[in-house]
Amino acid sequence: MAYALQQLINGLTLGAMYGLIAIGYTMVYGIIGMINFAHGDIFMVSAFIAVTAFTILAAADVTSIPLALTFVLIVSIFFTSAYGWAVERTAYRPLRGSTRLAPLISAIGMSIFLQNTVQLTQGARVKPIPPVLEGGIVLWDAPGFTVQIGWSQMLIIVTTVVLMSAFTWMITQTPFGRQQRACEQDRTMASLLGVNVDRTISYTFMLGAALAAVAGVMVTVYYGVVDFFIGFLAGIKAFTAAVLGGIGSLPGAMLGGLLIGLIESFWAAYLWAEYKDVATFGILCLVLMLRPSGLLGRPEVEKV
């Protein structure tokens, strides 16, 4: 029982990180109907920015953990949002009126470009940092096993809950959220009614990149090591989470991320760790066979 509780905590932590990245996928899909396959590499770039910022703070002898985390988050969000804006301007906007396949190929090309740029500038070796948040709270001291939730795990879960609530409120209650929903329904009509469609889409890309930046910082703090290839696998898992929960649904993206995190954690703990990815994608196939629109997705109804 204690071991299962520990795996539950680990799975929720991993799923929260997947969920943050998945929200970026689902926001972009909801507004332009396309998958931003460069999003995982935006997350990877943010992790390298976080490593660089932590290194600078260590060289400056900054010892305050709250100050360091705040500084790294601000720097990562700023630069990663700029990357998100650049991806939209270079890979998507020029091809917005073309066939659906052209932006997809462009996004894959941008993903390869970002991956190789980081590899050339930062090197192919992993980039470690010293532990930032050590220790935690002991929840259960069972015979032979201690259940503990680390400070970094609590930070990840609380940050994810706060951001999920904030983004849900923004999309449902603010003028910008109404503009996003208007662009999602009909971009032409939204522009005729005074909505700046280009600006709304650019801001959506930047917000998705900002969430990826937070996830990149959290991964850096939690694991303490990054490499240029982490964006590919994390991006595929987050995309799977968005599809599992229902692409276009923010709560669905978070639910899908949590489910994938729990599946991976329990499968690796009790069955075969090397087959955890097979289990994740197998369950995705089963869910889509029963619910093609995902767990919380709604089937598209096209009026004629």
Side-chain angles (χ1 to χ4, degrees), residues 19-260:
L20 281 178
I21 307 172
I23 290 175
Y25 275 112
T26 204
M27 285 177 63
V28 170
Y29 180 85
I31 198 169
I32 66 173
M34 295 297 297
I35 301 298
N36 179 18
F37 278 108
H39 190 64
D41 294 283
I42 293 289
F43 155 77
M44 177 267 296
V45 168
S46 72
F48 273 90
I49 293 173
V51 169
T52 303
F54 277 123
T55 304
I56 293 172
L57 290 175
D61 201 23
V62 176
T63 57
S64 173
I65 293 178
L67 177 62
L69 286 174
T70 303
F71 174 79
V72 172
L73 274 173
I74 292 174
V75 170
S76 296
I77 289 173
F78 176 80
F79 284 104
T80 309
S81 298
Y83 271 96
W85 176 84
V87 167
E88 193 274 332
R89 289 299 298 266
T90 57
Y92 276 95
R93 187 177 296 187
L95 301 172
R96 197 176 295 162
S98 63
T99 62
R100 294 173 66 90
L101 189 60
L104 177 65
I105 296 172
S106 178
I108 294 173
M110 181 61 71
S111 171
I112 296 172
F113 171 78
L114 290 174
Q115 199 175 111
N116 284 272
T117 299
V118 172
Q119 182 182 7
L120 289 172
T121 56
Q122 301 295 322
R125 295 183 179 180
V126 297
K127 300 290 183 182
I129 62 169
V132 178
L133 287 175
E134 295 184 291
I137 299 176
V138 176
L139 300 179
W140 187 7
D141 194 4
F145 192 85
T146 301
V147 180
Q148 179 177 352
I149 179 169
W151 297 118
S152 59
Q153 293 176 312
M154 284 190 284
L155 175 67
I156 291 169
I157 294 173
V158 171
T159 302
T160 301
V161 171
V162 171
L163 287 176
M164 181 66 198
S165 303
F167 270 75
T168 301
W169 173 82
M170 181 196 72
I171 290 176
T172 57
Q173 302 295 329
T174 65
F176 178 70
R178 287 192 291 272
Q179 292 174 12
Q180 283 185 307
R181 285 181 279 130
C183 292
E184 177 184 355
Q185 292 178 9
D186 192 329
R187 291 202 297 270
T188 303
M189 183 57 70
S191 64
L192 291 174
L193 295 175
V195 176
N196 190 327
V197 174
D198 288 340
R199 184 177 63 189
T200 303
I201 292 175
S202 291
Y203 285 174
T204 301
F205 269 82
M206 293 175 68
L207 286 171
L211 284 174
V214 175
V217 173
M218 296 298 110
V219 165
T220 305
V221 171
Y222 187 54
Y223 291 109
V225 62
V226 300
D227 63 73
F228 76 96
F229 202 65
I230 62 170
F232 174 77
L233 189 57
I236 292 295
K237 295 287 184 66
F239 173 61
T240 304
V243 173
L244 179 63
I247 192 75
S249 168
L250 261 67
M254 184 55 63
L255 175 62
L258 292 175
L259 287 176
I260 288 178

Side-chain angles (χ1 to χ4, degrees), residues 240 243-244 263 267 278-295:
T240 304
V243 173
L244 179 63
I263 291 168
W267 191 279
V278 176
T280 299
F281 293 113
I283 291 175
L284 171 67
C285 293
L286 290 175
V287 170
L288 293 182
M289 288 171 62
L290 300 174
R291 288 187 60 87
S293 58
L295 294 174

